[in-house]
Amino acid sequence: VITWGDPNYGGDCSPVRHQLQNVGKLHSTWRAFAAIMADETVVTWGDPDFGGDSTAVQGRLKGVKCIHATHNSFAAVLSDGTVVTWGNREGGSD
């Protein structure tokens, strides 16, 4: 993955670049990115208020089949049909 632009809005993936191997799909909010990896885990970066920090739910982001995004939150659908959300609570992450 190669990124550019404002680092506050996801334009700099260097903190997670080493994790961005075998990326399957990329998704974005207005200021963050989420990558579904080949092993069905997720790597995020960008503005934490827009979903760029998934550490609170990282342990649950396994078996991710798809991700949907609002302007400031992500929702991941897992292989068992459950949904995990993160990002801004006002944008749908709670």
Side-chain angles (χ1 to χ4, degrees), residues 76-89:
V77 180
L78 308 184
S79 58
D80 65 2
T82 60
V83 176
V84 177
T85 61
W86 70 96
N88 189 301
R89 293 179 74 179

Side-chain angles (χ1 to χ4, degrees), residues 1-76:
V1 174
I2 299 171
T3 58
W4 62 93
D6 190 322
N8 296 319
Y9 296 172
D12 178 12
C13 70
S14 60
V16 296
R17 181 168 286 131
H18 65 284
Q19 298 175 55
L20 294 173
Q21 307 296 321
N22 298 314
V23 174
K25 293 183 180 180
L26 284 174
H27 302 273
S28 67
T29 60
W30 286 0
R31 298 181 182 183
F33 291 89
I36 301 177
M37 311 308 292
D39 65 357
E40 299 180 341
T41 59
V42 174
V43 175
T44 58
W45 69 96
D47 188 331
D49 292 332
F50 285 73
D53 181 2
S54 59
T55 53
V57 296
Q58 195 63 47
R60 297 172 51 206
L61 292 174
K62 295 176 173 62
V64 175
K65 295 302 178 186
C66 64
I67 291 178
H68 300 277
T70 65
H71 71 281
N72 59 2
S73 297
F74 291 104

